[in-house]
Amino acid sequence: MTSTAYSRPSKLPGGGGGERRLPPRLMRSLTTKIEPKKLGVGLLAGCCLALLTYVSLAKLFAIYSPVFASTANTSALMQSSPPSSSSVPETEAIPPQEAVTSAGDNDSVVDRVDLPEEKQLAGAEPQDPGFPAAESQEPGLPAAVSRKDDAEKAAAAAAASEPKPEKSSNGGAAAGDAKIKCDENGVDEGFPYARPSVCELYGDVRVSPKEKTMYLVNPSGAGGFDENGEKRLRPYARKDDFLLPGVVEVTVKSVPSAAAAPKCTKQHAVPAVVFSIAGYTDNFFHDMTDAMIPLFLTTAHLKGEVQLLITNYKPWWVQKYTPLLRKLSNYDVINFDEDAGVHCFPQGYLGLYRDRDLIISPHPTRNPRNYTMVDYNRFLRGALELRRDRPSALGEEPGMRPRMLIISRAGTRKLLNLEEVAAAAAELGFNVTVAEAGADVPAFAALVNSADVLLAVHGAGLTNQIFLPADAVVLQIVPWGNMDWMATNFYGQPARDMQLRYVEYYVGEEETSLKNKYPRDHMVFKDPKALHAQGWQTLAETIMKQDVEVNLTRFRPFLLQALDRLQQ
C-alpha cells in the first residue's frame, strides 16, 4: 500500500475524468486581488519555512562527530584550505572533553625538558621564526595517547600547502627574513652585577668557528652594526671586566648576499647557541649561575631541538655536565675552538640570557616564558633521575628519622666543630650524614636529594640545594663580617624561590677564627661594611678567609627550628 501523506493529487478533487477549470469571473477576481510583490514575499517566506523544517528534522538524524566538534569555524569544513582565524577563542567551540590545550605534563614522552608547556596568551607576540612549535595535548591524557598523529598530519598538510623557502646558491637559507636583535642593556635594576649582551639572529645564519664569526646574510644591512657591518661579543654569561679578556670574542658580520658569506659545509634545521664556559666555571656555584641556569633559560623552550657550540671549551667540564647538556640538546656539542666547518642555521643565539645568581624572575626579553627556579629544579630531577620531589613525612614509617646532610669544606670557612654539631643534631633525632661535594655530579645530587635538611657554612656547597626536594629545609651558617646581603641574595632568597624552607644562623665574634688573626679594634670587627666597599679582592683576603666554630648552646635552637620547619 502506497502512502499518500506527502503526495500531491494529479487532479483537483471532485472533477471526474476531465480537467476542472475555474469560472472566468472567479479567475479575474483572484488575479486582481493578489499583487505580484506580495506573491514574491509569500514565496520567499515559504521557502524559509521549508528550509527551517528541513534543518530541524535533519538534526534528529545527524550523527555526532568529534572531528566536527573540534573546530571553531564549521563553515571551513566545506573548504579545502585551513580555516581563517576567528575572533572567538577556539576553545569556546570545543566540548570540554575535546578541548586541545598546550599544557604538557612531566610524563610527556615528547618533551626533552620536564616543563609545563607555555600557554599562548591572547595578544601575545607570535613565536620567533625558527622555533619549533609546542605540541598540543588533550587534557587528562598522557602524551603517548594524545592526538599526536592528527597533529602531525595537519602540520604536514599545512607545510605542503605553503611555498617552499628559497635557498641561496651556496647552501644557506633565504635571506628575505634576515633580522638581528640584541639585548645590550648591561644594567641590572637594583643589582650590582651587570648583565652580558646577547644577540639573536634570524634568517641565513652561518657559523664559522675557525674564523670566530657568525655571518648573517642581511641585504638591508639593518641591525645596528658598525661601519664594517660587525658586532663583537664575548659570550660569557657574567659581565665581569676582570674575566672578559679571557673569553673568546665572537664577531657577528652582516653581509649583503649569500655569495659574500662562506659556503655551508653542514646544514642544521635547528637554532644554534654559541656560548663560553670560561671564567669561574670550575666552581660549582658559577657552573650553575654562569652556565647551566643561563643555558636553561635560553634554550629550555626549544625542547632539545637546538645545537650547542661551546667556546673556551673544557672537555672535563662537558663530561661533568653531560647529563644536563643532553637533556637540553638532542645533538652532540660542537667544540667552537677546533671545528673547521661552516655550519648553517635558520636561527642563532650568541651568548646566554641570565638573571641574578640562582634566581630566575619573569622578564619581557630575558625570560618571556616566565620560567622559575622550580622549573629548573624539575629539569634537574629529570636529567639526573632524582626520585624525590618531597621530603619524607615524619612518622610515615616506624623508627624513621629525618635525614640531615652536612656539607663539609676543605678550604676556607670550615666548620671547626663539625663532629660536635653532627652529634648535637643526632641527639635531636636527625639521621646525620657528612660529605664533601665532589666531581661526580649525579652521585652527589642523589645524596642531596635523599636529605630532608641541608646544613652548610656559606659557600659554593650551598648551591647543592638545587637538588633538594621541595619543602626540604636549608640551614645556612653565615660567617662573621656583615655577610647578610650575600647570604640572603646568594642562597636565602633562592631557597625560598625553590619552595624550600630556609633557616640562617649568624656567627658571632667569638665564633670566628678571625679573632685569632686580627685585634678587636681592627676594621674586620669595628667596620666590616667598609671592607665590602673596597671590593671583592679585599673581601676575599679578609672576611672570606675565616673558619667558624659555632657555640652549641646558641646553635641548638636553630637545629630545633629546622626540625620544626620540616614538620610544617
Side-chain angles (χ1 to χ4, degrees):
M1 178 176 176
T2 303
S3 172
T4 60
Y6 295 99
S7 65
R8 179 179 178 181
S10 58
K11 297 182 179 180
L12 294 175
E19 183 178 354
R20 183 178 177 182
R21 296 180 179 275
L22 294 176
R25 183 177 298 176
L26 181 57
M27 285 289 291
R28 286 194 298 271
S29 175
L30 289 173
T31 56
T32 56
K33 290 182 180 180
I34 300 176
E35 300 178 6
K37 183 176 182 180
K38 292 182 179 179
L39 181 61
V41 172
L43 289 173
L44 179 62
C47 291
C48 293
L49 180 61
L51 180 61
L52 180 62
T53 303
Y54 173 78
V55 172
S56 300
L57 290 174
K59 285 186 177 182
L60 297 176
F61 302 98
I63 299 174
Y64 173 74
S65 170
V67 175
F68 280 65
S70 63
T71 182
N73 189 355
T74 56
S75 65
L77 295 171
M78 307 300 294
Q79 304 174 7
S80 60
S81 60
S84 60
S85 59
S86 171
S87 59
V88 181
E90 183 178 348
T91 53
E92 291 184 7
I94 305 176
Q97 70 274 17
E98 293 291 328
V100 178
T101 177
S102 62
D105 56 43
N106 294 338
D107 296 325
S108 171
V109 297
V110 178
D111 292 348
R112 288 282 299 174
V113 179
D114 297 330
L115 299 174
E117 298 275 1
E118 67 266 16
K119 296 181 179 178
Q120 182 68 33
L121 302 177
E125 293 184 0
Q127 197 170 27
D128 286 327
F131 285 17
E135 182 179 2
S136 299
Q137 296 179 9
E138 295 184 36
L141 294 177
V145 295
S146 67
R147 285 187 280 185
K148 179 181 177 183
D149 293 339
D150 292 343
E152 290 177 349
K153 290 177 182 177
S161 65
E162 293 180 357
K164 299 293 184 181
E166 297 181 0
K167 289 189 176 181
S168 63
S169 59
N170 58 349
D177 296 329
K179 182 175 68 172
I180 180 171
K181 59 179 184 179
C182 297
D183 182 356
E184 298 177 284
N185 180 19
V187 178
D188 181 0
E189 306 82 359
F191 203 71
Y193 300 139
R195 298 187 188 279
S197 297
V198 182
C199 287
E200 296 182 32
L201 292 75
Y202 302 92
D204 186 350
V205 180
R206 308 187 183 195
V207 181
S208 174
K210 186 176 181 179
E211 299 178 86
K212 302 294 182 285
T213 301
M214 297 179 71
Y215 291 88
L216 176 64
V217 179
N218 182 22
S220 70
F225 295 94
D226 63 18
E227 63 275 9
N228 297 318
E230 297 179 348
K231 281 181 177 288
R232 298 177 184 274
L233 275 73
R234 298 183 187 271
Y236 179 62
R238 181 180 290 270
K239 196 170 184 179
D240 186 320
D241 293 338
F242 176 76
L243 295 174
L244 287 181
V247 178
V248 169
E249 185 176 67
V250 180
T251 300
V252 180
K253 188 171 184 62
S254 174
V255 294
S257 67
K263 186 175 181 179
C264 301
T265 61
K266 185 171 183 180
Q267 290 279 357
H268 302 262
V270 299
V273 175
V274 180
F275 67 101
S276 169
I277 54 173
Y280 300 122
T281 49
D282 57 347
N283 173 287
F284 185 63
F285 175 80
H286 290 283
D287 287 345
M288 294 297 108
T289 62
D290 301 352
M292 290 311 309
I293 295 176
L295 186 59
F296 169 84
L297 187 59
T298 305
T299 66
H301 67 284
L302 299 174
K303 308 299 180 188
E305 289 302 303
V306 59
Q307 176 65 64
L308 306 180
L309 299 94
I310 299 180
T311 188
N312 296 110
Y313 191 89
K314 303 172 184 176
W316 61 266
W317 192 94
V318 173
Q319 178 66 29
K320 181 177 182 178
Y321 294 107
T322 290
L324 306 188
L325 296 173
R326 285 181 175 170
K327 190 71 171 176
L328 287 172
S329 174
N330 299 331
Y331 309 93
D332 292 338
V333 169
I334 294 175
N335 183 343
F336 191 83
D337 300 332
E338 295 184 359
D339 191 277
V342 176
H343 299 263
C344 294
F345 301 90
Q347 179 184 349
Y349 292 80
L350 179 56
L352 301 175
Y353 291 108
R354 70 161 293 151
D355 207 318
R356 302 183 182 184
D357 296 326
L358 297 181
I359 289 176
I360 301 178
S361 304
H363 192 277
T365 58
R366 294 188 290 267
N367 183 18
R369 296 162 188 86
N370 296 333
Y371 289 131
T372 67
M373 283 301 295
V374 173
D375 295 320
Y376 185 68
N377 298 147
R378 190 179 297 121
F379 155 73
L380 291 174
R381 285 197 290 270
L384 300 173
E385 300 181 351
L386 305 178
R387 61 183 184 85
R388 300 174 77 222
D389 58 7
R390 285 291 184 276
S392 302
L394 298 184
E396 187 176 41
E397 298 177 10
M400 185 191 71
R401 297 190 296 167
R403 286 165 285 192
M404 172 181 283
L405 174 62
I406 302 177
I407 297 182
S408 61
R409 293 177 60 91
T412 59
R413 281 163 281 143
K414 295 186 295 292
L415 182 57
L416 298 176
N417 57 338
L418 188 151
E419 292 184 2
E420 290 84 351
V421 170
E427 289 176 4
L428 295 176
F430 286 104
N431 183 356
V432 181
T433 300
V434 177
E436 183 177 357
D440 190 340
V441 173
F444 198 75
L447 178 62
V448 175
N449 185 253
S450 71
D452 304 308
V453 177
L454 179 66
L455 185 155
V457 179
H458 177 88
L462 275 168
T463 309
N464 288 281
Q465 65 182 298
I466 60 179
F467 303 126
L468 285 171
D471 296 329
V473 177
V474 175
L475 175 49
Q476 177 179 194
I477 298 176
V478 184
W480 171 263
N482 197 48
M483 295 280 289
D484 50 334
W485 186 93
M486 297 176 68
T488 299
N489 285 278
F490 291 165
Y491 301 113
Q493 188 57 48
R496 298 183 183 97
D497 290 349
M498 288 183 270
Q499 298 181 356
L500 303 173
R501 294 157 181 176
Y502 178 68
V503 180
E504 58 188 12
Y505 175 83
Y506 283 87
V507 167
E509 290 184 28
E510 298 298 327
E511 297 171 290
T512 173
S513 63
L514 294 175
K515 70 179 187 297
N516 302 322
K517 188 175 182 180
Y518 300 98
R520 294 304 174 93
D521 60 352
H522 191 275
M523 190 181 297
V524 165
F525 296 105
K526 298 192 69 173
D527 191 11
K529 186 177 293 187
L531 295 175
H532 287 261
Q534 293 179 28
W536 172 252
Q537 288 301 115
T538 300
L539 198 64
E541 292 298 322
T542 54
I543 289 176
M544 302 305 288
K545 285 189 174 180
Q546 65 173 298
D547 298 322
V548 299
E549 184 174 355
V550 298
N551 182 317
L552 290 179
T553 303
R554 285 187 64 218
F555 190 65
R556 189 173 281 105
F558 290 85
L559 293 173
L560 288 171
Q561 186 179 347
L563 186 61
D564 181 63
R565 296 293 300 276
L566 193 60
Q567 300 179 70
Q568 290 178 356

